[in-house]
Amino acid sequence: MLVLLRRVYRDRKGAETLLEASHEGGLITLGHRNDQTLQLHDPQIAPRHLTIKPLSGGRFSLRAVGAASMQLDGVSVRTAVLSPGQKVELGAQELGVISAPAGFGGALQLTQIEQAQNFGPATHFQTRLDQTGLRMRANAWLLVLLAALLLGLPLAGFFNPALGGWLRANTPLLSDAVWSSGPLANAHHTLEIDVDCNGCHLKLFETTPDRGCLGCHEGQKGHVDVTVHAVPQLADAHCASCHKEHNEPAMLVREDTGLCVDCHRDLQQVATHQNGGSMAHPVLGFEPGRHPEFQLALLRFDAELKAWSTERVRPSADVVASESSNLKFPHDVHLDFKRVQVRAEDRALGCADCHSLLSDGEHFRPITMEANCRSCHGLGFDEEEPERQLPHAQVRAAVLALEEHYIRQFADTAKTIEVGQRNRRRPARVDVDPCPQGALACGRERAEIEAHNQFTRSGCVTCHEVSEHPERAVYERWQILPVRLVSDFYPQARFDHIAHLTRRDTRAEDDATCIGCHAADVSGASSDVLMPGIDGCVTCHGEQRGSQNVQLDCTGCHGFHLPAGTPMQAVGPSPHAASAATAGVEQ
């Protein structure tokens, strides 16, 4: 079950800051320990205070751990089942169940005051030996012997792998596990790493080298293609420079803006283009004037080569971006209740009726005729036989189907039709012969007329770009240009649609959330690019967190390891140095 976790921080002046995250899985934990799902810095909260289990109908089961408790309607309880609208008190915090937005099975809101000033090592932990009840002199020699034991045995286990393995399995306190500065990140809790420090630390008391990482992460892409860009600074960049293990709270990926801006503020000074091309625009942060306009990836069709290519376009006052999908589709018509309705439900067509989100939360399932269009747009051509449908986007097959249909009709003596008219059933008349040339010739002639109507007037041409070649045979006279829709307008960025469905100023059941960013309701042509630019993002996001701002760092949208990057290498002084040297020789 996907659960929305909303935290509301309220300072002493009443100002609120909102943070939201999603949790997928089973149990949710709450306490002041750093491994809790909801961590609270409050001296009244135990290290592991509550366990929370999602139930059906947006409800949650709460159970206190150990001697902990909670206040429900002024009564101290240890267990409770909360429905939407109910809440409990936990020290200076309130934990409540709220209505779940679309896409979530439940939602929790934790309202808390900023970290209490009386919480810290001096008040919440024992930091001096005399606080433990032990006498210093009486235990001094015991501690010295214990320290020697804790250092000597792990060291012996390092040089003797068999002894080291036995110590880790049977006496963890006397193995080299005690040297760890903190727990492993969840991603590294594997059998190979959990029980063997040497799997990453190839030399005693040294930082993990790149080859210690790439032994598992083989083929990991780097940041740039070194045959295109030369970046000397990357020669000194190692895996451990950015990915810090054994830290608390566990954070394997740097998220500070400096990770990107330190170089991207002036790429001309830190990198060169091997082929003489231009470098990327400077980036100083995520604010108007400090970040360039987003660059679109648009598809272009070459009619002569009959091939698609991708063009990168950065919209500006002088550059207007447009799509060329070869599809005719007015969004405004399809979203207008007066013109298009879902008849079974008596409502307007909505965004979600065609656009279905994939499990990655970013992309959508491809739009196809069969899945999204045929339920409204049939391919029938004969009102008397509506079940007869033309093949989709196949000119030759469509013409042959028309010929078969009309030859059969002209050969049917129970029907009387004329070559140049729409089909109508009439009583048989023996004194009239509407087809003196024979059923084959008349059927083909009538099929050609209907094909011309389908491809140039009111059929296929309604949605497709169709080119006509009158000099060709009827089976090749029309060409339907292939249709391809852009699947990712911003391939160098990430976007989480699920997180943005929880906007508090919209309702999930209407299209306001979608139209707030994509102005589809006023788009009358499929050439319109309905993707928001940076101005649409900075209205809600910024570099600093605030009451009206959601903080967004570079890594919120961008990654360091790019698909086009040269694979990281485990040999040499750094993953990039050897590749850069090779590229220099080739040049």
Side-chain angles (χ1 to χ4, degrees):
M1 178 186 295
L2 187 63
V3 177
L4 173 67
L5 302 179
R6 176 177 293 170
R7 301 184 70 152
V8 179
Y9 293 90
R10 183 180 297 126
D11 61 21
R12 292 172 176 78
K13 296 182 180 179
E16 290 188 352
T17 301
L18 175 69
L19 292 178
E20 291 182 337
S22 59
H23 174 82
E24 187 170 9
L27 215 58
I28 301 170
T29 59
L30 180 148
H32 76 238
R33 254 178 25 190
N34 70 329
D35 62 346
Q36 302 298 286
T37 310
L38 292 171
Q39 184 183 16
L40 301 179
H41 290 167
D42 187 335
Q44 301 181 58
I45 300 299
R48 184 176 170 86
H49 199 92
L50 284 183
T51 59
I52 306 170
K53 182 180 180 181
L55 304 176
S56 61
R59 300 175 301 133
F60 292 85
S61 172
L62 281 61
R63 181 178 297 275
V65 178
S69 63
M70 51 190 157
Q71 296 289 321
L72 176 62
D73 298 329
V75 180
S76 179
V77 297
R78 291 182 47 76
T79 61
V81 175
L82 301 185
S83 300
Q86 292 185 296
K87 59 186 177 181
V88 296
E89 296 180 5
L90 303 166
Q93 293 76 218
E94 288 183 351
L95 178 65
V97 179
I98 59 176
S99 298
F104 292 90
L108 292 171
Q109 177 168 305
L110 181 66
T111 305
Q112 63 184 103
I113 301 174
E114 292 182 341
Q115 178 176 337
Q117 294 184 0
N118 61 343
F119 179 86
T123 62
H124 218 62
F125 304 100
Q126 294 176 337
T127 59
R128 299 193 308 274
L129 187 62
D130 57 7
Q131 292 177 322
T132 66
L134 297 175
R135 301 179 61 181
M136 296 180 64
R137 184 175 296 274
N139 294 281
W141 286 107
L142 178 60
L143 293 177
V144 169
L145 292 174
L146 181 60
L149 188 64
L150 292 176
L151 289 174
L153 277 179
L155 191 61
F158 177 84
F159 290 106
N160 188 331
L163 174 61
W166 186 88
L167 289 172
R168 296 187 196 104
N170 297 281
T171 58
L173 289 178
L174 299 179
S175 71
D176 53 8
V178 298
W179 296 345
S180 175
S181 60
L184 284 170
N186 289 334
H188 286 156
H189 277 298
T190 65
L191 291 177
E192 295 81 3
I193 299 176
D194 262 345
V195 300
D196 187 7
C197 301
N198 300 340
C200 297
H201 299 278
L202 305 185
K203 289 186 178 181
L204 190 62
F205 301 121
E206 285 191 7
T207 302
T208 301
D210 291 338
R211 66 179 185 276
C213 302
L214 297 177
C216 294
H217 299 278
E218 184 178 3
Q220 176 65 59
K221 298 289 188 177
H223 188 53
V224 298
D225 182 349
V226 297
T227 64
V228 178
H229 298 97
V231 188
Q233 281 188 258
L234 291 180
D236 299 325
H238 297 274
C239 302
S241 300
C242 296
H243 302 287
K244 303 293 186 182
E245 183 56 282
H246 299 295
N247 284 334
E248 295 185 276
M251 186 66 68
L252 277 178
V253 180
R254 281 184 60 184
E255 295 185 350
D256 58 290
T257 301
L259 174 66
C260 304
V261 173
D262 287 349
C263 290
H264 281 266
R265 69 171 66 251
D266 190 0
L267 285 178
Q268 303 290 346
Q269 300 297 322
V270 299
T272 56
H273 199 293
Q274 303 277 37
N275 302 323
S278 59
M279 301 299 294
H281 288 59
V283 178
L284 304 178
F286 194 68
E287 291 180 355
R290 292 167 58 84
H291 190 290
E293 183 54 78
F294 302 153
Q295 192 175 33
L296 294 157
L298 301 176
L299 290 172
R300 298 290 183 250
F301 179 70
D302 190 320
E304 295 183 2
L305 299 177
K306 296 182 180 180
W308 291 91
S309 61
T310 300
E311 179 186 8
R312 302 305 300 272
V313 177
R314 195 183 303 276
S316 65
D318 302 322
V319 178
V320 178
S322 62
E323 282 200 71
S324 53
S325 62
N326 294 331
L327 179 70
K328 301 175 183 178
F329 185 87
H331 275 88
D332 57 351
V333 171
H334 288 77
L335 294 176
D336 187 351
F337 176 74
K338 296 179 179 179
R339 306 177 74 173
V340 178
Q341 304 94 31
V342 179
R343 295 179 180 177
E345 303 177 32
D346 191 28
R347 62 172 177 83
L349 194 67
C351 302
D353 290 316
C354 298
H355 299 283
S356 180
L357 193 63
L358 293 174
S359 59
D360 64 2
E362 178 179 2
H363 303 94
F364 291 82
R365 289 185 175 86
I367 300 293
T368 65
M369 173 67 179
E370 295 300 327
N372 305 101
C373 307
R374 187 180 284 275
S375 60
C376 296
H377 298 279
L379 299 178
F381 57 93
D382 188 343
E383 296 176 357
E384 298 294 341
E385 296 186 39
E387 72 279 359
R388 293 298 303 267
Q389 300 281 306
L390 292 177
H392 179 245
Q394 302 176 51
V395 174
R396 181 179 180 84
V399 175
L400 288 172
L402 290 171
E403 286 184 347
E404 179 272 331
H405 176 74
Y406 287 114
I407 290 173
R408 179 176 56 82
Q409 284 204 340
F410 276 103
D412 188 352
T413 57
K415 300 178 183 178
T416 301
I417 63 173
E418 297 177 5
V419 172
Q421 70 176 23
R422 286 284 188 179
N423 295 352
R424 293 191 300 271
R425 292 188 181 275
R426 298 177 179 175
R429 296 175 55 189
V430 296
D431 58 338
V432 175
D433 184 5
C435 182
Q437 298 93 345
L440 180 63
C442 292
R444 285 180 171 175
E445 183 178 354
R446 180 65 185 85
E448 183 173 348
I449 294 174
E450 182 60 29
H452 183 271
N453 178 66
Q454 290 288 333
F455 292 119
T456 64
R457 295 181 180 177
S458 61
C460 309
V461 72
T462 304
C463 300
H464 293 275
E465 296 288 350
V466 181
S467 60
E468 185 175 7
H469 306 275
E471 72 282 0
R472 298 181 183 178
V474 66
Y475 305 111
E476 300 176 351
R477 185 170 301 167
W478 299 278
Q479 180 184 7
I480 298 177
L481 298 185
V483 172
R484 182 174 295 182
L485 303 178
V486 178
S487 61
D488 195 339
F489 286 91
Y490 297 130
Q492 300 293 344
R494 298 187 301 269
F495 185 84
D496 188 351
H497 281 92
I498 294 178
H500 289 77
L501 288 174
T502 63
R503 285 176 49 186
R504 291 199 290 183
D505 57 336
T506 61
R507 295 184 303 167
E509 61 268 19
D510 59 27
D511 292 330
T513 302
C514 304
I515 294 175
C517 294
H518 310 281
D521 57 332
V522 294
S523 171
S526 55
S527 60
D528 296 338
V529 177
L530 303 182
M531 297 301 295
I534 188 172
D535 290 342
C537 298
V538 295
T539 56
C540 298
H541 295 284
E543 296 179 29
Q544 304 298 325
R545 188 180 70 186
S547 58
Q548 301 296 324
N549 232 18
V550 177
Q551 185 176 3
L552 185 66
D553 296 310
C554 300
T555 55
C557 299
H558 302 287
F560 179 86
H561 299 281
L562 302 179
T566 299
M568 306 284 284
Q569 297 185 10
V571 180
S574 80
H576 292 275
S579 297
T582 302
V585 172
E586 292 176 353
Q587 294 298 321

